[in-house]
Each structure stands twice: as structure tokens, then as C-alpha cells.
Amino acid sequence: MTSITSASLPLLQLQSSLKRKPCNLKSSTTMRRFTTKASASETTSAAAPAPEPSKLPMRKIPGDYGLPFIGPIKDRLDFFYNQGRDKFFQSRAQKYNSTVFRANMPPGPFIASNPNVIVLLDAKSFPVLFDVSKVEKRDVFTGTFMPSTQLTGGYRILSYLDPSEPRHEQLKRLLFFLLKSRSSHVIPEFHSSYTTLFETLENELAKEGKASFQTANDQAAFNFLARALYGTNPSDTNLGRDGPSIIQTWLLFQLGPIMTLGLPKFLEDPTLHTFRIPPFLIKKDYKRLYDFFYESSGFALDEAVRLGVPREEACHNLLFATCFNSFGGMKIFFPTILKWVGRAGVKLHARLAEEVRAAVKSNGGKVTMASMEEMPLMKSVVYEAFRIEPPVPLQYGRAKKELVIESHENAFVVKEGEMLFGFQPFATKDPKIFENAEEFVADRFVGEGEKLLKHVLWSNGPETEGPTLGNKQCAGKDFVVLFSRLLVVEFFLHYDSFDVQVGNSSLGSSLTFTSLKKASY
């Protein structure tokens, strides 16, 4: 769930510039997915075959890594401060006349021993990162460095395991079990938690004339996850209302090397990107989180033991899946959805309100899985938000063997062991795939537009595929889609329209509501 804030620059301009510089070288989400039981795929062989030939012109991968130590630091400073994230990639793609090139990815010295990557920026080359027969996903969840396992109880958590590792299948089965066993609680608990959030926003708006979404959403998201997945209300435990603030600090300890807090360069780079924050500083608070999950998840821990996973290791994984993957996703993506819907204006709001209310009314006045399947515009809006601003922008994988990868224009040879890196927001705004790729088009995925969903990439795979035991798609990927749909549904059951001010935060966008027009029915 990594996210690094920066102003967006259009990929359309990038690819247009590439066309002007010719190469001169010689050569429907439903609950059923949560019960997936596919077996892990085989990922090794006695002798790796030679890469398949390509019909595209072969080209040496352009770019270089610069001088040791100096090159990675220069790229880090460009990435965070001198250029910013999007311009960092765009400028190099224009320089090399290629959407595939070599660069260094942060953090570099002294946190990451090898920051060298091959960057993939287009929709055609990017999917190789999901093919576990070609790339290894071991310890690459956060990129060229891995946070200390002291932050996760001394264990390598599921997100850092490659599907070829036996523990990967055991832990993913555990998460499938949790999601399946608690699926009936999701919709009612979401309604309860987010009705409270709306009341909080309305009270603050009446009192202050504006209302911040972030803090209220963090509390609602954590309460919802705890109640829906574990049947426990955090306020009734020793954790109280401290969960979201502890998680946010814990996330900083893990993601600090690849994010910016907006502090001055001379202060932030040496402290956040050069040395790790000592894990012992969060140890006491993390123990509070762990105790909450251990006491709340007995039924899931019993299943873990049956699967061959010790209770302690299982608990750290449940905590991570809930707090990093699920809570982190809601923290980043919920403001994203409301930002784009808010900017779209009252005409879209009216269409969404009409569709949502009609579908709920025709299904007995209740929000159900069946009623949401009758909301094509609502579903398209959520998918479009995933496309234009995916909550997981960075993807990594290490080549298991020599590969040939293809952009739209060229083919490139990748050597065994090289690190591949994909910047997802450019791949999902590829103008060769999407018309008006930089624009938020609410009904893009309605009707025939559903065929484009295979190009919506955001959770270690395309939207048209689900998590299995043999791939690296997040086990709760379809739950996040469901949560996001529920946000839009509940919002337009409560309100006709809204106005919002958008800012930046260390994890995505910050929102301030300036008006909420209550539902007129």
C-alpha cells in the first residue's frame, strides 16, 4: 500500500514525445472469489528455456545507474525533491525515447544495498510483474529494501513471501478462511461504522463550516474492520480509540524510506531516507495492537494451527493483513474516490444517487450484493478511481531467468536476477489503451467498457483476475473493491451532493468537506 504524493504529469505527453523521436538502433467482483482454492503454481524447472523471440525490434535497455553510491543518491534526490515522482519517470522516458529504461529507485544508500532497477512504464510491459513463472516476489513488497522483521514480530509476513515458499500457501489459506467465515458481517458493519462517520462530519461541518475526512475515516475504517472481521469493538478493549494512530506510526516505520512527509530536503532526506528509524521506538505500541488481535481472533488462530502455522506467527500476519493491507488501502483509497467524484460535479452526483437509491429500493430497501450488481455506474466510478490513481503505485519483481519483455515499440532482454520495477499510474493511464487517459471518465467501464477492466492494474494483478494460492494478488483484493463500492453506495444514500477541498498528505490525498447536501427523499 505504498503511496508517494506528487503532482500528476500526463503519460500522453510522454508517449507523444517518444513518437517524435524514432529509434535509430539497428534493430464482476462478487463474494465467490473469497473462496478461491486454486493450488500453487509450479515456478521452478530443471533447465530454464531460452526467452521466446519477439516480432518487435530488439533494443538494448537504455539508461544507466551512474557512479556507485553517487548515482543512487542523485536519483533519490531527483525522485523526492528536485523533480518529484512523476517528472522523474517522464523526463527519463523522454531522454531515452523509451518507456523501459534503467534507473535507481529509493531509498538507496544506506538502507538498500542494490537500488538498481529496470523501469516499466507502459501497459504492455507492466504485466510481467504479475507472472510468478517469470519473476520472483520474495522480499520485494516494499521494493529494493525490506523493513526490519522486528516490526512484524520477527516474521517475514505473507506479503514478502514468494508463492514458491510453502508458508505462502498456508497463510493465504488462513486469510481466505477469515474472509469467507466473516463475509456476512461486512455490509451491516460497514453501514454502522460509516453512518457514525457521516454524523461526525455533519456535526463538525455545522460547528466549523468545514469537516476533515481523514481522522474520521481512519477511526471508522479501523472500527469497521475490527467488527466485521473479528466481531470486536475496539472501544470496548484496552486498545480504545488508539488503533488508527498506532497504525499510522507503524506504517511510517516501514514506508518512511520510500515516502515524503513534505519536510525540507536537508532535514528529511538524512533522517527518513538514509537511515532506518529504530524499530524499538514502536515496540510498546505494536504490542498493544498485537494483544488486541490475539484476543480477538481466536477462531482464526485455531484454523491457523490446523493449517500448520503457529498461533503467534498467524497473529502477526492477521495484524499485518488488517492494518497494513486493508486499513492502509481504505486510508489511501477512500479519499481518492471522493476526490474524483467530488470534482466530477453535481450531474454525476445526481446520476449516482438515482441509480443507488433505485437499486436499493428494488431489493427491499437494503444494501445487498445483488443490489450492488444493479449499479453499473457506481461500479464504473470505483474502477475508474482504481485506474486513474491506483492505491498501490509501485510494483517489483526479480527476473527468475533471462526474459524478453516488450513495450509497445520495442523488445528488451532482461538478465536473470535483475530487478524489474513498474510505476503503476503510468501503466493504467497508457493512452494506447485508454482514450482520454488522464481524465476521470465516470462511465468508462459501463457496457462494452467492461472489456477494458483487464487493463486496470492495482493489486499485484489485473482487475479481471482474483487472488489464488499460486499468485501474489492480495487475498483481500476483492474485499477492498467491495468496501470501496459500499462507500459510494452509503454516501449517496445519505447525500444528494457535496463539495470538497483537496490537498496532499503523506499517504495520498487529504479532503475537507465544505458542504454536504442531505438526501432529498
Side-chain angles (χ1 to χ4, degrees):
M1 300 289 181
T2 59
S3 178
I4 306 168
T5 302
S6 178
S8 176
L9 293 173
L11 181 59
L12 181 58
Q13 294 177 5
L14 182 158
Q15 293 203 340
S16 296
S17 69
L18 300 190
K19 292 177 184 177
R20 295 194 295 268
K21 299 164 68 177
C23 176
N24 59 5
L25 298 181
K26 296 181 179 179
S27 29
S28 177
T29 305
T30 62
M31 301 295 279
R32 65 178 179 271
R33 283 188 182 175
F34 306 145
T35 61
T36 304
K37 295 295 183 181
S39 61
S41 59
E42 294 295 329
T43 56
T44 58
S45 59
E52 296 180 6
S54 172
K55 295 180 181 179
L56 292 173
M58 296 297 297
R59 182 181 177 187
K60 180 181 177 182
I61 300 174
D64 61 69
Y65 302 121
L67 294 173
F69 192 81
I70 296 174
I73 291 180
K74 179 182 181 302
D75 280 357
R76 184 175 76 204
L77 294 176
D78 283 347
F79 185 90
F80 287 122
Y81 310 107
N82 300 335
Q83 294 180 304
R85 182 187 68 175
D86 289 21
K87 190 175 180 181
F88 175 89
F89 296 118
Q90 188 181 48
S91 64
R92 284 156 179 77
Q94 291 173 338
K95 176 182 178 181
Y96 303 129
N97 186 33
S98 177
T99 53
V100 177
F101 55 86
R102 298 183 184 276
N104 298 291
M105 279 299 291
F110 295 96
I111 296 175
S113 60
N114 185 3
N116 304 161
V117 302
I118 298 169
V119 178
L120 312 177
L121 295 183
D122 61 86
K124 190 173 182 182
S125 62
F126 196 97
V128 70
L129 291 161
F130 308 140
D131 188 343
V132 294
S133 70
K134 295 180 179 179
V135 299
E136 183 182 67
K137 306 292 279 189
R138 183 190 303 262
D139 297 339
V140 299
F141 180 64
T142 46
T144 58
F145 86 107
M146 180 179 171
S148 171
T149 57
Q150 293 181 51
L151 296 167
T152 50
Y155 295 98
R156 289 174 61 237
I157 297 300
L158 174 62
S159 293
Y160 293 94
L161 302 181
D162 186 77
S164 63
E165 299 179 73
R167 189 65 97 206
H168 180 276
E169 178 175 339
Q170 293 171 306
L171 290 170
K172 208 161 189 180
R173 283 189 185 277
L174 173 62
L175 295 184
F176 284 150
F177 165 82
L178 173 66
L179 297 174
K180 180 183 177 182
S181 63
R182 298 292 299 178
S183 61
S184 64
H185 298 272
V186 170
I187 293 177
E189 291 295 354
F190 192 96
H191 171 77
S192 175
S193 296
Y194 276 78
T195 295
T196 301
L197 174 141
F198 297 143
E199 292 171 354
T200 301
L201 293 178
E202 290 173 19
N203 291 337
E204 186 175 346
L205 194 57
K207 190 175 182 179
E208 305 292 339
K210 58 183 180 180
S212 173
F213 181 69
Q214 268 57 42
T215 301
N217 179 58
D218 286 356
Q219 194 66 60
F222 185 71
N223 289 346
F224 158 67
L225 291 167
R227 294 169 185 168
L229 298 180
Y230 304 101
T232 302
N233 183 3
S235 295
D236 297 335
T237 71
N238 292 332
L239 189 61
R241 297 176 60 85
D242 295 341
S245 61
I246 293 174
I247 295 170
Q248 186 157 308
T249 304
W250 177 65
L251 289 173
L252 175 64
F253 275 63
Q254 297 175 78
L255 300 179
I258 55 173
M259 66 188 292
T260 177
L261 300 180
L263 301 174
K265 174 172 62 175
F266 71 89
L267 176 64
E268 183 177 82
D269 195 63
T271 56
L272 201 62
H273 305 142
T274 306
F275 302 100
R276 295 175 186 263
I277 306 174
F280 75 84
L281 295 175
I282 192 71
K283 183 176 181 179
K284 184 177 179 180
D285 281 340
Y286 180 79
K287 181 64 164 55
R288 290 184 64 196
L289 269 183
Y290 176 85
D291 289 344
F292 170 80
F293 280 91
Y294 195 88
E295 293 165 4
S296 303
S297 59
F299 71 101
L301 299 180
D302 291 342
E303 176 66 11
V305 172
R306 191 188 71 79
L307 291 170
V309 181
R311 297 177 78 86
E312 180 179 338
E313 181 178 358
C315 187
H316 287 291
N317 274 274
L318 293 175
L319 186 160
F320 191 93
T322 306
C323 298
F324 194 116
N325 301 128
S326 299
F327 175 85
M330 296 171 76
K331 180 178 179 63
I332 293 170
F333 193 59
F334 278 17
T336 298
I337 297 174
L338 294 177
K339 173 182 76 174
W340 289 106
V341 173
R343 286 175 170 175
V346 294
K347 289 184 178 180
L348 175 61
H349 301 172
R351 292 173 62 198
L352 284 168
E354 181 180 4
E355 179 185 78
V356 166
R357 294 167 195 176
V360 171
K361 183 178 179 180
S362 68
N363 284 268
K366 294 183 179 180
V367 177
T368 63
M369 296 298 296
S371 68
M372 285 192 287
E373 288 303 312
E374 297 174 12
M375 305 176 192
L377 178 61
M378 177 278 292
K379 292 194 293 182
S380 178
V381 161
V382 171
Y383 288 139
E384 179 70 342
F386 276 115
R387 181 197 71 84
I388 200 166
E389 197 170 341
V392 184
L394 317 178
Q395 290 283 355
Y396 290 83
R398 191 177 300 280
K400 287 184 173 181
K401 55 189 176 183
E402 186 172 291
L403 305 172
V404 172
I405 59 173
E406 296 181 346
S407 66
H408 293 296
E409 292 83 16
N410 293 104
F412 308 86
V413 174
V414 174
K415 296 179 181 178
E416 180 181 351
E418 290 193 293
M419 181 76 88
L420 297 169
F421 159 76
F423 183 54
Q424 211 146 264
F426 275 24
T428 55
K429 289 185 284 189
D430 188 332
K432 292 184 180 293
I433 303 297
F434 296 103
E435 293 183 10
N436 303 314
E438 294 288 332
E439 297 179 16
F440 180 84
V441 180
D443 55 2
R444 188 186 296 276
F445 300 104
V446 173
E448 286 294 307
E450 289 187 8
K451 295 178 181 178
L452 290 170
L453 285 174
K454 65 182 179 181
H455 300 293
V456 177
L457 319 169
W458 67 273
S459 178
N460 251 316
E463 177 54 39
T464 49
E465 297 179 10
T468 70
L469 299 177
N471 68 20
K472 279 304 291 179
Q473 285 225 27
C474 175
K477 172 238 181 185
D478 294 318
F479 254 54
V480 175
V481 174
L482 175 59
F483 303 163
S484 303
R485 291 179 176 181
L486 286 170
L487 175 68
V488 177
V489 170
E490 291 287 349
F491 199 94
F492 284 101
L493 286 175
H494 282 78
Y495 305 107
D496 285 342
S497 186
F498 65 99
D499 292 302
V500 67
Q501 294 175 346
V502 180
N504 292 327
S505 74
S506 57
L507 290 172
S509 301
S510 65
L511 295 185
T512 301
F513 286 95
T514 55
S515 74
L516 288 167
K517 184 179 179 182
K518 298 199 74 169
S520 55
Y521 74 103

